[in-house]
Amino acid sequence: MQKLRNLFGLPVLITGTGVQIGEVKEVLLDLEQAAVRGIVLAGANWFTKDQGVVFEDVFRIGRDALMLRATYAVQELTPAMMPGTVYYLCDLLDKQIYTDAGLSFGILVDALYDSTTGEIKAYEISDGLITDLLYGRKIMPLPQAQVVGQDRLIIPDAMTNLLIPESNKV
């Protein structure tokens, strides 16, 4: 599993020519389907606001670059254009997480995903800098049901039993 936050700033290259067409600016997520839906590019086109690639058109995601087969995969891309409820990753990161029983759970700092399928597997949660340094961050499987508010996420109380210390993650 890889962290979605690590995609930000990666160059987007065409495999056949080696030409860089932009950098990863944002990631589009469908939490209901637990999937990465698209990648928004910075620098892809000066005249339109959000240009990107749907995840199915991504050839490979490597440690140092995101690879596409051809430039025709780049298109106008916004959450409103996607089926279902799609969010920008930046709109989810750094939100406070609460359970539906009113327990503060920590802060969402990243999401873990499978780079070949785009499936979102888990959240990485912080309890604060000192706790992170002493005990590490926690990994929580992606909740089946969650409410995304403006400043916070609400998850089922049963998720408290599924936390895994980051050092023990699979």
Side-chain angles (χ1 to χ4, degrees):
M1 286 190 293
Q2 295 183 4
K3 295 180 179 186
L4 279 171
R5 195 171 249 187
N6 292 342
L7 293 177
F8 294 144
L10 283 182
V12 178
L13 308 175
I14 304 299
T15 58
T17 62
V19 172
Q20 179 175 339
I21 60 167
E23 293 180 350
V24 176
K25 172 178 147 183
E26 186 59 88
V27 180
L28 296 173
L29 306 176
D30 182 340
L31 297 180
E32 292 172 3
Q33 298 297 315
V36 175
R37 288 290 178 224
I39 307 290
V40 178
L41 307 179
N45 189 331
W46 293 94
F47 301 109
T48 57
K49 191 173 178 184
D50 286 328
Q51 290 284 305
V53 180
V54 293
F55 189 82
E56 292 77 24
D57 290 336
V58 173
F59 177 61
R60 289 244 165 50
I61 299 175
R63 185 185 69 192
D64 300 316
L66 187 139
M67 307 302 290
L68 300 178
R69 290 185 198 259
T71 56
Y72 64 78
V74 178
Q75 58 186 309
E76 187 175 346
L77 196 64
T78 64
M81 302 170 86
M82 300 286 198
T85 307
V86 177
Y87 299 94
Y88 286 116
L89 177 61
C90 283
D91 289 342
L92 299 174
L93 296 178
D94 302 323
K95 285 188 184 279
Q96 184 71 39
I97 301 173
Y98 289 91
T99 67
D100 55 11
L103 177 67
S104 177
F105 212 60
I107 296 172
L108 176 64
V109 292
D110 213 336
L112 304 172
Y113 78 110
D114 181 327
S115 64
T116 56
T117 65
E119 183 182 357
I120 304 167
K121 301 283 193 173
Y123 285 152
E124 182 179 29
I125 299 171
S126 169
D127 264 342
L129 180 62
I130 294 175
T131 305
D132 290 352
L133 290 172
L134 291 174
Y135 306 107
R137 292 181 172 162
K138 294 182 176 84
I139 305 298
M140 175 186 71
L142 191 69
Q144 295 254 330
Q146 57 188 310
V147 174
V148 179
Q150 186 171 353
D151 299 326
R152 56 199 52 89
L153 294 172
I154 309 294
I155 61 170
D157 191 52
M159 296 306 294
T160 58
N161 300 327
L162 302 176
L163 281 181
I164 303 166
E166 186 177 34
S167 58
N168 294 344
K169 70 181 178 189
V170 178

